[in-house]
């Protein structure tokens, strides 16, 4: 599974593709972004996909737009998905209260 952050109409969004050989990739959802943030900076970076114990998935991404890495942000975006085609339960999670960044979220 490959994930990438793309710009869809000027808004950062997650698009997904699958491969059986890591050479040839087939876009999911016809290459249309599947997860777009609607709160915070409305941007995202460093998406992370995790399979949940129930077989579904969760997608996490840093709440950051553009390349202004001096902008402090304590939040991440999160979505749930049963099939990596439809996403529900969007939420923006505050990770800490310190004046610094939240980068490249991962979970286990």
């Amino acid at each position: 599974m490959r994930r990438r952050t793309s710009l869809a109409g000027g808004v950062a969004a997650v698009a997904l593709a699958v491969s059986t050989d890591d050479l040839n990739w087939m876009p999911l959802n016809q290459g249309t972004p599947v997860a777009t943030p609607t709160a915070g900076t409305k941007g995202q970076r460093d998406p992370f996909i995790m399979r949940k114990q129930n077989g579904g998935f969760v997608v996490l991404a840093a709440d950051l737009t553009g390349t202004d890495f001096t902008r402090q942000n304590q939040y991440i975006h999160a979505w749930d998905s049963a099939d990596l085609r439809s996403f529900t339960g969007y939420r923006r999670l505050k990770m800490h209260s310190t004046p610094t960044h939240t980068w490249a979220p991962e979970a286990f």
Side-chain angles (χ1 to χ4, degrees), residues 12-64:
V14 173
L16 302 172
V18 295
S19 173
T20 57
D21 61 9
D22 290 335
L23 296 172
N24 300 292
W25 292 87
M26 182 179 68
L28 295 178
N29 200 35
Q30 292 79 42
T32 303
V34 293
T36 304
T38 57
T41 67
K42 295 187 180 175
Q44 61 178 305
R45 292 185 64 89
D46 308 315
F48 175 81
I49 301 170
M50 179 182 76
R51 185 174 288 272
K52 300 191 308 187
Q53 288 182 343
N54 68 4
F57 301 89
V58 65
V59 176
L60 305 174
D63 182 6
L64 179 66

Side-chain angles (χ1 to χ4, degrees), residues 55 85 105:
R85 287 180 171 81

Side-chain angles (χ1 to χ4, degrees), residues 13 18 22 27 31 39 43 46 49 54 57 69 72 77 81-82 87-88 90 95 102 105 108:
V18 295
D22 290 335
D46 308 315
I49 301 170
N54 68 4
F57 301 89
F69 301 119
Q72 298 176 358
H77 302 289
S81 178
F87 288 76
T88 61
Y90 170 70
M95 301 307 295
T102 299
F108 59 91

Side-chain angles (χ1 to χ4, degrees), residues 62-73:
D63 182 6
L64 179 66
T65 186
T67 56
D68 181 2
F69 301 119
T70 63
R71 186 174 181 181
Q72 298 176 358
N73 197 324

Side-chain angles (χ1 to χ4, degrees), residues 76-94:
I76 63 171
H77 302 289
W79 296 264
D80 297 305
S81 178
D83 56 10
L84 293 177
R85 287 180 171 81
S86 59
F87 288 76
T88 61
Y90 170 70
R91 57 222 179 262
R92 190 169 165 250
L93 306 170
K94 187 170 186 176

